[in-house]
């Protein structure tokens, strides 16, 4: 058993990056750097490539928070969970990009631990906190 909270993801970049690459993002002309992830099945994911056919992989990482640091530094744009992109004042959703579904966040409880009052209290607390932040996980903040 457990408690799940839905979430979405988007394509995020630094505000300076969006200003610098505005023409390339709007016209599809000229290369736009993308920070890729080592687990991606292709250098540029299809949903990014479809929207930005001029996307070119700039670098690769294997961690969301490393990608966030690279995005903040202006090295490229990338796809991140909304809770990261929307909560960082240095970043913005890339204009013209859409949010997509992302794996829900789950708090799982081993069946043997369900009767433990401390664990039950923690799960109740953390589930409530996740639900209170549902808009952030879905990219519904402004």
């Amino acid at each position: 058993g457990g408690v799940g909270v839905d979430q979405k993801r988007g394509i995020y970049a630094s505000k300076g990056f969006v200003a610098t690459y505005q023409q390339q993002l709007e016209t599809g002309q000229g290369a736009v750097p993308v920070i890729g992830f080592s687990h991606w099945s292709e250098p540029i994911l299809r949903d990014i490539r479809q929207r930005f056919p001029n996307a070119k992989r700039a670098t690769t990482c294997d961690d969301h928070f490393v990608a966030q640091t690279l995005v903040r530094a202006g090295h490229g744009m990338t796809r991140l969970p909304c809770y990261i992109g929307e909560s960082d004042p240095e970043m913005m959703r890339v204009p013209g990009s859409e949010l997509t579904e992302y794996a829900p966040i789950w708090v799982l409880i081993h069946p043997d631990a369900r009767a433990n009052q401390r664990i039950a209290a923690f799960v109740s607390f953390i589930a409530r906190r996740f639900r209170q932040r549902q808009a952030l996980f879905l990219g519904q903040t402004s």
Side-chain angles (χ1 to χ4, degrees):
V3 178
V5 176
D6 290 335
Q7 66 173 332
K8 292 191 176 187
R9 61 189 172 195
I11 302 171
Y12 292 92
S14 69
K15 293 174 182 177
F17 179 93
V18 171
T20 299
Y21 287 91
Q22 182 177 357
Q23 184 176 357
Q24 292 93 324
L25 292 168
E26 290 174 0
T27 66
Q29 303 298 312
V32 177
V34 172
I35 297 159
F37 284 89
S38 56
H39 67 270
W40 284 1
S41 58
E42 49 194 333
I44 305 294
L45 292 175
R46 185 172 20 144
D47 61 332
I48 296 174
R49 198 174 60 245
Q50 284 176 337
R51 175 61 190 94
F52 303 104
N54 53 340
K56 303 290 181 208
R57 186 173 281 197
T59 191
T60 303
C61 64
D62 62 359
D63 180 87
H64 283 142
F65 297 105
V66 171
Q68 180 182 11
T69 300
L70 291 166
V71 167
R72 288 181 64 133
H75 293 290
M77 61 183 187
T78 197
R79 190 172 71 182
L80 290 169
C82 291
Y83 77 89
I84 296 174
E86 301 292 330
S87 62
D88 188 329
E90 300 298 315
M91 292 170 44
M92 64 182 288
R93 203 175 308 157
V94 175
S97 64
E98 300 293 326
L99 295 180
T100 57
E101 297 297 320
Y102 193 50
I105 297 173
W106 282 91
V107 178
L108 299 177
I109 308 137
H110 191 280
D112 296 345
R114 286 189 190 138
N116 183 301
Q117 293 299 317
R118 288 182 181 173
I119 292 173
F122 170 76
V123 169
S124 176
F125 167 79
I126 202 70
R128 189 168 50 254
R129 299 290 288 206
F130 279 139
R131 283 191 207 105
Q132 289 169 347
R133 289 165 176 76
Q134 184 73 59
L136 177 63
F137 292 114
L138 295 175
Q140 297 171 346
T141 59
S142 320

